[in-house]
């Protein structure tokens, strides 16, 4: 799903570590798995994979912008705040269950919060190192990095306002293109979706 076995292995490894972490916390806290706690490993796994996918996509975005050697640092500079906010708000939501009068729910809350925050912290460390090592290994061939980055999401179309009026007279029409290529040539569901949105005068009105 990341078009790179290195990033895929790191993200899956950290997510699996998160599962083991919450199981270890359950054991050493003297608890046993029940119908509530059995959900925690899967919850931590999914949230960790989601954060990892976002961080890797930030890295590919920086590569597409031409920041080959500096892409890992820029990706972390851009992506750390959204991922941290997502993890913290999720942890706050899980921590709110601590007020429950049901003991298994309170235990679920504590272990989930520790698991989510712990695995996201480990993800930042390992994924940043993988980005840097991968960039160094591929530094001698930046065109290969471009090819792999562009294969992930494709180049997005650019919306350009034209001087022609729309039939409804509500605003200026939108020309869509990716350089000299058409949105269909650019490929990717994101490019096609952006083309539809940009061409619809009811959704985007300029002027």
């Amino acid at each position: 799903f990341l078009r790179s076995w290195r990033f895929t292995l790191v993200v899956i490894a950290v997510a699996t570590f998160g599962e083991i972490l919450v199981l270890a916390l359950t054991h050493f806290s003297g608890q046993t798995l029940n119908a509530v706690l059995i959900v925690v490993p899967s919850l931590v796994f999914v949230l960790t994979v989601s954060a990892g996918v976002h961080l890797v996509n930030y890295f590919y975005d920086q590569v597409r912008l031409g920041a080959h050697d500096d892409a890992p640092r820029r990706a972390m500079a851009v992506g750390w705040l959204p991922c941290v906010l997502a993890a913290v708000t999720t942890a706050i939501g899980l921590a709110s269950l601590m007020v429950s009068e049901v003991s298994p729910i309170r235990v679920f809350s504590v272990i989930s919060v520790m698991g989510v925050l712990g695995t996201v912290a480990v993800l930042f460390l390992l994924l940043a190192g993988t980005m840097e090592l991968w960039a160094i290994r591929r530094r001698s061939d930046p065109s290969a990095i471009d090819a792999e980055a562009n294969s992930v999401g494709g180049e997005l179309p650019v919306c350009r306002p034209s001087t022609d009026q729309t039939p409804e007279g509500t605003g200026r029409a939108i020309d869509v293109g990716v350089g000299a290529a058409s949105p269909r040539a650019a490929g990717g569901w994101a490019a096609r979706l952006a083309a539809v949105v940009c061409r619809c005068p009811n959704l985007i009105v300029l002027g």
Side-chain angles (χ1 to χ4, degrees):
F1 55 90
L2 294 176
R3 305 291 180 90
S4 170
W5 64 267
R6 295 180 182 87
F7 290 141
T8 301
L9 286 179
V10 170
V11 172
I12 295 299
V14 175
T16 304
F17 167 79
E19 289 187 314
I20 298 174
L21 175 63
V22 295
L23 291 175
L25 291 173
T26 302
H27 172 74
F28 288 108
S29 63
Q31 305 294 326
T32 57
L33 288 179
N34 50 45
V36 177
L37 292 180
I38 197 66
V39 181
V40 180
S42 300
L43 174 67
V44 172
F45 187 93
V46 171
L47 294 176
T48 305
V49 170
S50 176
V53 170
H54 280 84
L55 287 174
V56 173
N57 283 331
Y58 282 122
F59 173 74
Y60 282 130
D61 288 341
Q62 295 303 318
V63 171
R64 279 192 289 268
L65 292 175
H68 299 294
D69 296 343
D70 205 29
R73 185 190 65 80
R74 292 189 180 185
M76 286 298 168
V78 173
W80 76 268
L81 184 58
C83 290
V84 168
L85 288 177
V88 170
T89 53
T90 301
I92 292 174
L94 293 171
S96 66
L97 298 175
M98 294 181 186
V99 300
S100 174
E101 297 180 357
V102 181
S103 178
I105 298 297
R106 292 197 301 270
V107 175
F108 166 84
S109 175
V110 174
I111 295 178
S112 297
V113 169
M114 297 175 66
V116 169
L117 296 180
T119 51
V120 169
V122 174
L123 182 67
F124 272 107
L125 295 175
L126 293 184
L127 203 53
T130 303
M131 290 178 183
E132 183 63 28
L133 291 175
W134 182 72
I136 291 175
R137 291 173 62 89
R138 304 290 291 275
R139 190 169 295 167
S140 59
D141 187 13
S143 60
I145 302 180
D146 287 332
E148 186 166 351
N150 289 328
S151 68
V152 175
E155 196 173 359
L156 293 179
V158 178
C159 299
R160 301 183 182 90
S162 67
T163 57
D164 298 333
Q165 295 291 326
T166 60
E168 294 81 0
T170 56
R172 287 175 289 181
I174 304 298
D175 295 332
V176 181
V178 184
S182 64
R184 183 176 298 276
W189 65 268
R192 292 192 292 271
L193 177 61
V196 172
V197 173
C198 290
R199 284 175 176 169
C200 182
N202 294 327
L203 295 178
I204 297 181
V205 179
L206 298 179

